[in-house]
Amino acid sequence: MEKIALRDIDNNDWDFILDLRNSSFEFFYKQNIPLEKTEHYEYMKRQSINSKFHHWIITLDDNSVGYIRILENDVGIMIKKDYQNMGIASKALQLVEIKAKELGISKLVALVVKDNESSKKIFEQNDYNLKMFWLEKQIS
Ligand SMILES: CC(C)(COP(=O)(O)OP(=O)(O)OC[C@H]1O[C@@H](n2cnc3c(N)ncnc32)[C@H](O)[C@@H]1OP(=O)(O)O)[C@@H](O)C(=O)NCCC(=O)NCCS
């Protein structure tokens, strides 16, 4: 059985995280174009001093295959395309709950774009309850 784990991040992982962000942004609410490296690095620098930001690389047998972060209570996950649908995100979510508890976080929230079936499924499978519908209208 291959081993899924979370490891700490250092600055050498920032490009890996950027690649993940830019290969899956169609599922993000706020990002709708690829992110420039400078913008990403500024974001990572800013978050590295944010006490409410926690993140890890997801590994499969020591290979980096994904990324998971908690911002305040909001949990976000990205898995490399070649490794999707193997149960990795679901396992990473279970591992991050252990980390969150150690950090004193008592509740996690997932914001999932409407048509992101895969994301919806991992949170439902891990006992996250639907609490809100988000409706919006472009008016100008
Ligand atoms: C969402 C994401 C993290 C899931 O990662 P993953 O490792 O593939 O997830 P898992 O394999 O643990 O589970 C995915 C589940 O969704 C199911 N699934 C995949 N596509 C689906 C679809 N179109 N409709 C319904 N279910 C679907 C899979 O069969 C699997 O369910 P199963 O465990 O019952 O077989 C990954 O697809 C990803 O990185 N997407 C891009 C970034 C993103 O959207 N992140 C979420 C933001 S919170």
Side-chain angles (χ1 to χ4, degrees):
M1 174 74 179
E2 291 155 319
K3 187 168 179 286
I4 298 161
L6 303 185
R7 71 159 170 82
D8 289 339
I9 286 180
D10 65 44
N11 299 6
N12 296 321
D13 294 309
W14 288 7
D15 288 342
F16 173 72
I17 298 164
L18 178 64
D19 284 347
L20 282 172
R21 288 185 73 172
N22 281 345
S23 61
S24 33
F25 65 83
E26 70 267 29
F27 293 115
F28 301 157
Y29 180 69
K30 288 184 182 157
Q31 185 188 341
N32 48 26
I33 51 166
L35 206 60
E36 295 293 338
K37 187 168 174 163
T38 47
E39 205 182 336
H40 172 64
Y41 272 47
E42 275 163 25
Y43 177 82
M44 297 305 282
K45 256 184 237 155
R46 244 187 354 262
Q47 296 299 16
S48 64
I49 51 166
N50 178 355
S51 62
K52 307 257 184 202
F53 185 87
H54 309 281
H55 59 173
W56 299 268
I57 294 291
I58 302 166
T59 58
L60 178 69
D61 286 343
D62 295 330
N63 296 310
S64 303
V65 295
Y67 173 72
I68 188 161
R69 68 105 177 92
I70 301 171
L71 177 56
E72 306 264 348
N73 293 98
D74 174 4
V75 59
I77 312 181
M78 298 180 289
I79 302 294
K80 270 172 89 169
K81 283 204 164 40
D82 291 352
Y83 292 89
Q84 290 181 3
N85 297 317
M86 294 166 58
I88 296 174
S90 201
K91 176 69 185 171
L93 202 49
Q94 290 152 25
L95 295 173
V96 96
E97 284 181 19
I98 298 169
K99 299 273 193 194
K101 280 184 200 161
E102 288 168 1
L103 289 162
I105 298 168
S106 55
K107 179 169 71 176
L108 292 174
V109 172
L111 304 177
V112 176
V113 170
K114 186 168 64 77
D115 297 323
N116 194 345
E117 298 300 336
S118 177
S119 183
K120 211 186 298 175
K121 192 152 183 195
I122 59 167
F123 291 108
E124 284 170 353
Q125 279 175 339
N126 284 284
D127 304 323
Y128 284 62
N129 298 312
L130 182 64
K131 292 287 186 184
M132 194 180 351
F133 293 107
W134 179 319
L135 297 101
E136 67 177 28
K137 180 181 179 181
Q138 199 73 37
I139 55 163
S140 67

